[in-house]
Amino acid sequence: METGQAAAVESWTRTDSWAFWSFGLGMLLEAYIFGMASIATGWVSMPPSLRSLLLAWAPIWLIIGIMVAGPLADRIGRKNTFYTTMALYGVGAVGIVFSYTYVLILVFLAVLLFAAGGEMNTIMAASHEMMPTRHRSKTMFLELNFINLGGFLLAAVSLLSIYNSVSFQRGMVAATIVVVLFVLLLARSRTPESIRWLQRKGLADRAQSEIERFYGTQEYEARQAAVRQSSVAVRRTGIGLRLFVTITTAFAGAAGFGLMTYVLGPTYFKNLTAMILLVATGVGFVSGFFGFWADRLSRKALLVLGYGGTALVTLVIFLTTAQWTKDLAFFWILLVVLNVFVNISYLTEDTLKSEVWPTEIRGTYTAVVRFVSIGLYIVTIYMTQNYGLNQYMLFNLIVWVIGLAGAVAWYYGGIETGKGVSLETASGEESK
C-alpha cells in the first residue's frame, strides 16, 4: 500500500511541458486560421452572396478536415495525424500570400481550414490521453484558452496592418502562421504518441519504447496508480444522452459565438469587424485563466453556469438593441459581459465533448459531434443573412437556449467528469 500511495504522486515532466505548448499553439493556430475568413471579406470587393460564402467557407472546410482527421487519428495515431496537418499549414500559408483574387483566397483558405479542423480534433483527443490525471482538466482548459489568444492575435495583426495595402496584410497574416508553425514543429518532435492509443491498438512494444523514452517506467507507473486512485464507480450514461448533450452544447458554442464574433461585424457593422473580434477574444483569453482551477471544479455546474449566463446576457442584448446601436460604449460593455459567460461555456463543452468517448473511438466520435454542431452553424449563417438586427439577436438567443437545454440535461442525467476524476471514469472505460 505504501508503495502504491507513493507511486500515485505524479510529476510534471519536460514531456508534459512540450505537449502542453504543442497543443496550446495548435489551438492558437486553428483559431487564427478560422477567423481569417472574416478578415478576408475586406481583401477583395464582393456582393453579399459571396461574402456569406466566404464566411461559411471557414466552418465548411473546418468540418471536412474534422471528419477526415477524426477517424484517421484513431487509425494511424495522433502524432502521424499532426504531421499531416502541419504540412498542409505550410502549403496554405505560402499560398495565401499570393491570393490576389477571390477564388485563390477560397482555395488556400480551404487548405488551411482543412488542416485546422483536423489539428484541433486530434489535440482534443490526445490531450486527455496524455496529460497527468491531476492536471487533465486544467491543461485542457488552458490549451483551449489559446483559441482566444489566436483570435486576439489575428485581430491585432489585422488592426496593425489595416492602413497598409491588402498585400501587406495578407503577408503579415501568413508570416504569423509560419512563425507559429515552426515553434509547433519543434514542440511536436519532443512529444510522444498517445500511450493509451498504442495500448488499445495492441502495440505494446512501441508503447513501452515511448514510455521509456519520454517518461521513464517509474513515472508512468505513478500515472497508472493515479488513474486507479482517481477512478470512481459511476452509472453508465447512454450514447444517446452523450450525443444530445455534446451536440447541443457544441452547436450553441459554435453558432452563438460565431454569429456574434465573426458574422455580426461583416454583416451589420463592417467598420467594427476587427475590433469585435479583438474584444471578444481578448475578454475570452483573460477570463479563461479560471482554467487553473478546473481540476477542482464541477464540469456539470460550469456547463449550467456558462450557458445560463450567456442566455441571460443575450436576452438583455436583444431587449436593448435600440439602446446599444446608438451608444457604442454600452455595446462594448454588453459584449465584454457576454464573452465572460461564453468563454465559461465554450471551454467546458469543448473539454466535455472529447472526454466522454472510449480511446479507440475518441477521435471519431469527437469528430462526429464537431461535424454536426459546426455544420449546423453553417446553416445559421445562411438563415440569418437577410435578418434585421432584432431578428438576428432573437435567433442568437434561441441558439443559446438550445445549449442551455443540453447543459441542464447533463447536470441531471450525466456524470461528473471534472473534480479530478480520471479519463477512464469520464469515458466509461475500465481502469487498466
Side-chain angles (χ1 to χ4, degrees):
M1 178 64 71
E2 291 180 0
T3 301
Q5 289 177 342
V9 180
E10 304 165 286
S11 299
W12 181 267
T13 68
R14 181 177 298 180
T15 296
D16 298 318
S17 295
W18 280 115
F20 174 79
W21 285 108
S22 164
F23 298 152
L25 288 172
M27 295 288 195
L28 180 150
L29 209 49
E30 186 271 350
Y32 187 91
I33 289 166
F34 187 82
M36 281 174 60
S38 182
I39 301 299
T41 56
W43 288 353
V44 293
S45 298
M46 64 189 77
S49 59
L50 291 185
R51 183 193 62 212
S52 294
L53 174 61
L54 186 54
L55 291 171
W57 203 244
I60 286 172
W61 282 96
L62 199 77
I63 63 174
I64 293 173
I66 287 167
M67 280 313 299
V68 171
L72 187 67
D74 285 339
R75 184 175 180 82
I76 70 170
R78 313 330 188 189
K79 196 167 182 177
N80 286 334
T81 306
F82 283 139
Y83 285 129
T84 303
T85 56
M86 286 190 293
L88 291 173
Y89 275 153
V91 172
V94 172
I96 209 71
V97 175
F98 302 100
S99 296
Y100 299 107
T101 67
Y102 181 83
V103 172
L104 286 176
I105 290 171
L106 288 181
V107 169
F108 287 105
L109 271 181
V111 174
L112 288 168
L113 289 160
F114 179 92
E119 175 85 5
M120 182 174 173
N121 202 79
T122 310
I123 290 171
M124 293 171 72
S127 183
H128 283 302
E129 295 168 2
M130 293 173 62
M131 289 302 182
T133 295
R134 69 191 181 108
H135 299 297
R136 181 176 67 83
S137 294
K138 173 168 59 256
T139 50
M140 189 65 177
F141 271 60
L142 294 176
E143 288 159 10
L144 287 165
N145 200 33
F146 275 80
I147 292 173
N148 292 312
L149 183 58
F152 183 84
L153 180 62
L154 175 64
V157 169
S158 176
L159 286 171
L160 288 172
S161 59
I162 197 170
Y163 297 111
N164 293 282
S165 67
V166 171
S167 295
F168 179 81
Q169 190 177 63
R170 281 201 314 269
M172 285 287 292
V173 168
T176 305
I177 294 174
V178 172
V179 170
V180 175
L181 183 59
F182 175 77
V183 179
L184 192 60
L185 181 61
L186 185 67
R188 293 273 162 81
S189 66
R190 288 163 171 77
T191 56
E193 177 58 90
S194 165
I195 306 301
R196 279 183 170 91
W197 179 83
L198 290 170
Q199 291 173 337
R200 295 300 193 278
K201 284 292 185 178
L203 303 172
D205 291 341
R206 186 181 167 195
Q208 187 59 40
S209 176
E210 295 280 278
I211 289 169
E212 292 172 358
R213 178 184 173 190
F214 290 99
Y215 300 106
T217 302
Q218 184 176 355
E219 171 61 25
Y220 188 73
E221 288 177 351
R223 296 184 180 211
Q224 291 298 89
V227 167
R228 290 190 291 271
Q229 290 185 3
S230 301
S231 297
V232 295
V234 294
R235 68 180 184 278
R236 289 190 176 275
T237 54
I239 191 171
L241 176 65
R242 281 181 281 173
L243 284 172
F244 172 77
V245 170
T246 53
I247 288 174
T248 53
T249 56
F251 161 68
F257 178 76
L259 290 173
M260 285 296 290
T261 304
Y262 299 118
V263 182
L264 180 68
T267 305
Y268 300 98
F269 307 101
K270 191 165 186 177
N271 292 336
L272 299 177
T273 296
M275 186 57 71
I276 289 172
L277 179 61
L278 188 77
V279 171
T281 54
V283 170
F285 180 67
V286 172
S287 63
F289 285 102
F290 83 93
F292 277 111
W293 295 273
D295 291 294
R296 306 176 191 175
L297 300 173
S298 165
R299 198 91 78 240
K300 295 167 73 173
L302 282 176
L303 272 181
V304 174
L305 173 65
Y307 284 94
T310 305
L312 181 61
V313 177
T314 305
L315 175 62
V316 173
I317 292 173
F318 167 65
L319 294 175
T320 60
T321 302
Q323 286 73 41
W324 58 258
T325 50
K326 298 175 183 176
D327 183 355
L328 275 181
F330 186 34
F331 170 72
W332 295 123
I333 291 171
L334 289 173
L335 193 66
V336 166
V337 177
L338 174 70
N339 277 283
V340 170
F341 287 106
V342 167
N343 201 45
I344 293 171
S345 60
Y346 181 72
L347 297 186
T348 307
E349 64 89 2
D350 252 2
T351 300
L352 179 77
K353 71 187 175 199
S354 52
E355 68 184 346
V356 295
W357 313 109
T359 299
E360 298 94 324
I361 57 172
R362 180 166 293 114
T364 301
Y365 268 76
T366 302
V368 168
V369 171
R370 297 184 69 219
F371 180 89
V372 174
S373 59
I374 299 175
L376 291 173
Y377 165 49
I378 298 170
V379 175
T380 68
I381 293 174
Y382 283 96
M383 286 179 63
T384 60
Q385 66 178 335
N386 295 316
Y387 281 4
L389 190 56
N390 272 317
Q391 288 177 293
Y392 188 84
M393 290 305 164
L394 177 60
F395 185 88
N396 203 262
L397 174 60
I398 294 170
V399 167
W400 286 112
V401 170
I402 292 171
L404 179 59
V408 171
W410 191 254
Y411 188 84
Y412 289 105
I415 62 171
E416 182 57 71
T417 61
K419 293 187 175 181
V421 304
S422 71
L423 179 61
E424 280 70 11
T425 296
S427 65
E429 297 175 282
E430 292 186 3
S431 179
K432 299 293 183 182

